């Protein structure tokens, strides 16, 4: 098991459950180092005082904040630490709420909680909390201090574990009232058409069906470069123009989705990569320089 | 509203919905910049070649992927960008899934989708149809030079777009060892825990919770600006409870009253509504 990020106790009522906190996500991205093009040596970042033009040791760095009147307030590490919340080493549960009432838009970073150690009392208390939350579709709201700052957190049952997520505060969610929406209430026929199309394309959510194609392509770029191959940037995609006749578009889409033979609709739903593969099969000439639409036209 | 971050089209079937992407989240964490403690001047990050010990201009920098210790595959920016994906202007909907089936742990970042030029009716149609069906649209698109899987769902009158985590980014639950309790919680313990949970039940009202740390940092800045001296804090110890049943009983006590007792001493208001 990975090293815990934090350990302490989960406290509700007068019950304290000793727990350890782990991140629920792991970093699987490819990371790059900055290198000097000339000699391939890794670069180092050094901190310089802009005024004195000389290097500054890490200990001589403070925190600057621009006050409203253009005046800068400078705080030292010690001063900033003076407002760090007291490290109580407890996650205090304040309340239990209906999980369905908490929109995931508030969820920030996900973590998992594990019982600390395997003492009978600890494991039982952990399981007890897990069971009652799972049974009631409730989640616990609490606060705790991680790395010098206090977080509002939500704890819920997930996959037979207690999952904790840090929460955004209400004023960190932008007001959506200025987001352009508008539009007329759709006529029943259109709404029915759209609903039928949604049902035709409906599947069960299975996260394992989706892979990170960006990561894979990046791995592939690294591999090809290692073999000394040239890497070419793909063409920019053109944006389709909005449809004039929604109803006609819905009808044609439905026909296509219900499998009415090989139509433009089928092809339009394929990616350029997929279209390119088909063009290769069919031996379409000049396929490598074709846009997505040109490929559809050539294959249609 | 701030400027849109991305303009494009949501394509489902042959229906094209022109959209604009906006950030839905605005972190209010107080940010500082690095300054030199001695004179308050800005700190610049300068890049130095570790072999030559001299400063390097930004146009002399390439990226390297480390394949063995100190062995790098060198890539130009354009080569990395080649992996970005081609769907730079289209979110191509691959499937519609039940919103309720998506565990929010998969949602990474939230954006709002607004209606683009001449797209208001199509936008409204997609919004209303998603709302009626209880489904989210899943599709991929390229944004800031990388391809994302995104889920689009109605959120009030607008559409929210979540970039999605991939399954292999999540730590499997089995990695978190539970240890086996020799005895499952007793019926009595469960019943009392349920009662305790009910006694602490509240409606979720996000506005009741404020970021006390942010407020404390801003207050500190005001005090420092006014020339006050700043003093260090004290630590506090937790009090453990051994007997689960006794703790449950004591917590339940006489209902609401025990709750005050339960959280007494840890408090600085703890974000409870100021009644």
């Amino acid at each position: 098991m990975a090293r815990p990020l934090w350990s302490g106790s989960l406290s509700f009522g007068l019950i304290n459950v000793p727990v350890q906190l782990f991140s629920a996500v792991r970093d699987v991205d490819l990371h790059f180092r900055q290198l000097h093009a000339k000699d391939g040596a890794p670069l180092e970042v050094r901190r310089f005082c802009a005024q004195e033009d000389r290097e500054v040791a890490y200990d001589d760095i403070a925190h600057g904040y621009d006050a409203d009147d253009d005046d800068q307030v400078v705080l030292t590490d010690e001063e900033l630490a003076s407002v760090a919340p007291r490290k109580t080493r407890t996650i205090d549960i304040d309340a239990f709420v209906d999980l369905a009432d908490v929109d995931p838009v508030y969820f920030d970073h996900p973590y998992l909680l594990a019982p600390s150690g395997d003492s009978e009392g600890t494991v039982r208390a952990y399981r007890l909390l897990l069971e009652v939350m799972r049974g009631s579709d409730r989640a616990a709201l609490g606060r705790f201090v991680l790395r010098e700052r206090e977080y509002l957190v939500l704890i819920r049952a997930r996959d037979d574990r207690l999952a904790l997520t840090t929460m955004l505060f209400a004023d960190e969610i932008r007001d959506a009232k200025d987001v352009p929406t508008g539009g007329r209430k759709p006529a029943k026929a259109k709404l029915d058409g759209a609903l039928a199309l949604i049902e035709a394309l409906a599947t069960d959510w299975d996260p394992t069906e989706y892979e990170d194609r960006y990561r894979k392509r990046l791995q592939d770029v690294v591999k090809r470069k290692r073999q000394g191959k040239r890497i070419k940037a793909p063409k920019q995609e053109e944006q389709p123009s909005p449809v004039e006749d929604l109803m006609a578009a819905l009808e044609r889409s439905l026909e296509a989705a219900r499998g009415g033979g090989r139509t433009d609709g089928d092809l339009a739903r394929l990616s350029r990569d997929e279209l390119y593969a088909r063009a290769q099969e069919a031996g379409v000439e000049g396929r490598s320089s074709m846009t997505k639409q040109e490929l559809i036209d050539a294959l249609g | 509203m701030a400027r849109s971050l991305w303009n494009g089209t949501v394509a489902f079937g042959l229906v094209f919905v022109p959209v604009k992407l906006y950030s839905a989240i605005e972190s209010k964490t107080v940010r500082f910049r690095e300054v030199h403690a001695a004179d308050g001047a800005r700190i610049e990050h300068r890049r130095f070649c570790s072999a030559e010990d001299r400063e390097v201009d930004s146009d002399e920098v390439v990226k390297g992927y480390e394949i063995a210790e100190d062995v790098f595959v060198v890539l130009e920016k354009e080569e990395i960008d080649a992996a970005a994906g081609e769907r730079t202007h289209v979110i191509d909907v691959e499937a519609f899934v039940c919103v309720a089936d998506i565990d929010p742990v998969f949602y990474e970042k939230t954006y709002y989708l607004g209606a683009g030029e001449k797209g208001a009716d199509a936008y409204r149609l997609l919004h209303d149809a998603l709302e009626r069906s209880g489904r989210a649209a899943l599709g991929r698109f390229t944004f800031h030079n990388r391809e994302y899987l995104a889920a689009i769902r109605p959120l009030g009158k607008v559409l929210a777009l979540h970039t999605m985590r991939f399954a292999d980014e999540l730590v499997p639950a089995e990695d978190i060892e539970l240890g086996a309790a020799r005895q499952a919680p007793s019926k009595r313990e469960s019943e009392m825990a349920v009662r305790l949970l009910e006694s602490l039940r509240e409606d979720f009202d996000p506005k009741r919770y404020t970021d006390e740390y942010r407020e404390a940092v801003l207050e500190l800045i005001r005090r420092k600006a006014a020339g006050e001296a700043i003093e260090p804090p004290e630590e506090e110890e937790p009090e453990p409870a051994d007997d689960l049943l006794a703790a449950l009983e004591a917590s339940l006590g006489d209902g609401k009253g025990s709750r005050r007792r339960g959280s007494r001493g840890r408090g600085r208001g703890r974000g409870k509504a100021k009644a």
Side-chain angles (χ1 to χ4, degrees):
Chain A
M1 200 145 84
R3 249 169 51 113
L5 301 167
W6 180 91
S7 51
S9 55
L10 184 58
S11 141
F12 65 114
L14 295 175
I15 298 164
N16 287 314
V17 189
V19 287
Q20 294 181 322
L21 184 80
F22 298 88
S23 178
V25 292
R26 52 190 175 194
D27 185 2
V28 288
D29 276 346
L30 275 73
H31 293 284
F32 295 96
R33 280 282 293 278
Q34 289 197 324
L35 305 177
H36 191 190
K38 202 180 93 188
D39 53 15
L43 297 184
E44 288 167 1
V45 170
R46 300 185 189 170
R47 290 173 168 78
F48 275 73
C49 172
Q51 195 166 296
E52 298 174 312
D53 193 32
R54 69 173 178 88
E55 198 172 345
V56 174
Y58 199 77
D59 287 347
D60 293 332
I61 289 171
H63 311 273
Y65 182 84
D66 281 330
D68 291 336
D69 43 9
D70 271 351
D71 260 356
Q72 178 177 255
V73 179
V74 175
L75 296 174
T76 61
D77 286 347
E78 294 73 32
E79 287 171 332
L80 205 48
S82 75
V83 292
R86 284 183 290 181
K87 288 177 191 163
T88 56
R89 305 218 70 85
T90 56
I91 302 170
D92 291 314
I93 294 177
D94 284 335
F96 289 91
V97 296
D98 289 342
L99 188 53
D101 288 349
V102 187
D103 193 283
V105 79
Y106 289 102
F107 288 18
D108 197 6
H109 191 87
Y111 299 88
L112 287 163
L113 288 172
S116 277
D118 52 7
S119 88
E120 179 76 11
T122 300
V123 176
R124 259 181 53 202
Y126 181 98
R127 286 199 180 275
L128 182 65
L129 187 58
L130 183 65
E131 265 172 36
V132 294
M133 285 211 281
R134 191 166 40 203
S136 59
D137 280 326
R138 296 264 158 77
L141 275 180
R143 289 190 184 241
F144 90 118
V145 178
L146 177 68
R147 294 194 198 105
E148 306 299 311
R149 63 158 299 178
E150 190 180 55
Y151 291 90
L152 176 68
V153 297
L154 180 132
I155 298 161
R156 64 193 174 108
R158 177 169 78 81
D159 289 346
D160 201 30
R161 301 291 185 277
L162 290 175
L164 176 148
T165 176
T166 50
M167 299 276 280
L168 295 167
F169 290 95
D171 62 355
E172 293 181 298
I173 313 290
R174 288 204 162 132
D175 195 333
K177 73 175 185 328
D178 296 324
V179 174
T181 52
R184 282 163 297 181
K185 189 167 185 276
K188 191 176 178 300
K190 271 188 202 163
L191 189 58
D192 288 346
L195 285 168
L197 185 54
I198 286 175
E199 286 315 312
L201 296 172
T203 52
D204 288 335
W205 163 241
D206 176 3
T208 60
E209 272 183 23
Y210 301 89
E211 60 166 10
D212 190 348
R213 299 200 308 215
Y214 171 72
R215 194 196 313 151
K216 238 187 134 182
R217 277 198 298 264
L218 204 49
Q219 282 162 347
D220 192 48
V221 163
V222 171
K223 197 172 129 202
R224 273 155 55 210
K225 183 72 194 249
R226 226 180 138 179
Q227 295 163 345
K229 290 190 184 148
R230 212 161 60 96
I231 287 119
K232 228 176 70 182
K235 280 195 172 181
Q236 291 279 299
E237 185 183 46
E238 286 160 46
Q239 192 172 336
S241 37
V243 278
E244 297 291 331
D245 187 345
L246 266 178
M247 201 58 223
L250 279 169
E251 278 166 4
R252 285 175 59 206
S253 307
L254 261 176
E255 243 170 68
R258 285 173 179 154
R262 183 183 264 210
T263 65
D264 261 18
D266 281 337
L267 293 172
R269 294 227 319 280
L270 299 176
S271 71
R272 191 187 171 276
D273 289 342
E274 290 156 342
L275 287 166
Y276 183 82
R278 290 202 185 182
Q280 207 164 14
E281 257 172 55
V284 174
E285 296 212 3
R287 59 187 177 260
S288 63
S289 62
M290 284 185 177
T291 63
K292 183 174 172 179
Q293 191 55 52
E294 284 165 346
L295 284 168
I296 292 171
D297 293 344
L299 288 165
Chain B
M1 193 75 197
R3 270 180 22 168
S4 59
L5 304 168
W6 182 89
N7 293 344
T9 300
V10 175
F12 67 113
L14 295 174
V15 181
F16 302 129
V17 186
V19 290
K20 293 178 174 182
L21 189 75
Y22 301 90
S23 177
I25 308 301
E26 184 179 20
S27 170
K28 293 277 176 77
T29 301
V30 183
R31 303 262 172 232
F32 294 97
R33 100 170 87 92
E34 288 185 333
V35 296
H36 189 190
D39 55 14
R42 207 161 33 83
I43 294 288
E44 289 174 354
H45 285 195
R46 300 186 186 171
R47 298 186 194 88
F48 277 71
C49 173
S50 57
E52 297 179 316
D53 191 33
R54 70 165 180 90
E55 197 176 344
V56 168
D57 275 346
S58 58
D59 59 2
E60 296 176 71
V61 178
V62 288
K63 285 188 170 175
Y65 182 75
E66 196 164 20
I67 47 170
E69 208 187 328
D70 287 330
V71 183
F72 296 93
V73 176
V74 174
L75 293 166
E76 306 285 338
K77 187 180 177 300
E78 296 72 38
E79 293 176 317
I80 293 176
D81 289 351
E86 59 177 20
R87 267 171 222 165
T88 48
H89 291 292
V90 179
I91 304 172
D92 209 350
V93 175
E94 292 171 30
F96 292 93
V97 299
C98 283
V99 176
D101 290 347
I102 305 175
D103 191 291
V105 78
F106 286 100
Y107 296 149
E108 189 165 33
K109 232 183 138 188
T110 308
Y111 300 85
Y112 292 133
L113 275 184
E117 292 290 316
K118 296 184 190 156
D121 285 346
Y123 179 94
R124 176 76 184 267
L125 177 64
L126 177 61
H127 175 277
D128 289 7
L130 287 177
E131 193 165 65
R132 181 79 78 83
S133 64
R135 289 186 182 268
L138 279 183
R140 296 184 188 248
F141 79 121
T142 295
F143 173 54
H144 287 166
N145 279 325
R146 87 173 278 174
E147 186 186 80
Y148 291 94
L149 178 67
I152 300 167
R153 66 175 177 112
L155 181 66
K157 282 192 162 46
V158 303
L159 292 170
L161 179 147
H162 298 278
T163 55
M164 302 288 277
R165 294 189 173 97
F166 293 95
D168 62 358
E169 290 178 77
L170 298 184
V171 173
E174 307 84 75
D175 283 10
I176 303 300
E177 288 156 26
L178 278 195
R182 282 174 288 278
Q183 256 181 304
S186 69
K187 194 163 169 252
R188 188 160 144 68
E189 281 169 339
S190 294
E191 280 169 5
M192 284 204 320
V194 169
R195 269 175 60 204
L196 179 57
L197 186 143
E198 289 305 323
S199 77
L200 294 174
R201 204 197 154 280
E202 280 179 13
D203 287 333
F204 178 62
D205 177 6
K207 291 201 172 62
R208 290 170 71 162
Y209 301 92
T210 54
D211 188 346
E212 292 170 9
Y213 179 65
R214 186 203 311 162
E215 285 163 14
V217 171
L218 290 172
E219 178 57 26
L220 174 72
I221 290 167
R222 279 189 287 273
R223 281 165 53 210
K224 182 73 193 269
E228 273 181 50
I230 314 291
E231 284 177 28
E234 289 166 47
E235 289 239 347
E236 187 185 322
E237 290 298 313
E239 67 278 24
D242 298 328
D243 185 341
L244 187 54
L245 201 57
L248 278 166
E249 270 165 1
S251 302
L252 276 168
D254 54 345
K256 283 277 169 190
S258 66
R259 175 170 172 185
R260 300 270 175 275
R261 229 185 303 142
S263 53
R264 186 192 56 191
R266 302 192 195 99
R268 277 168 297 132
R270 291 282 162 201
K272 290 277 167 56
K274 314 280 187 289

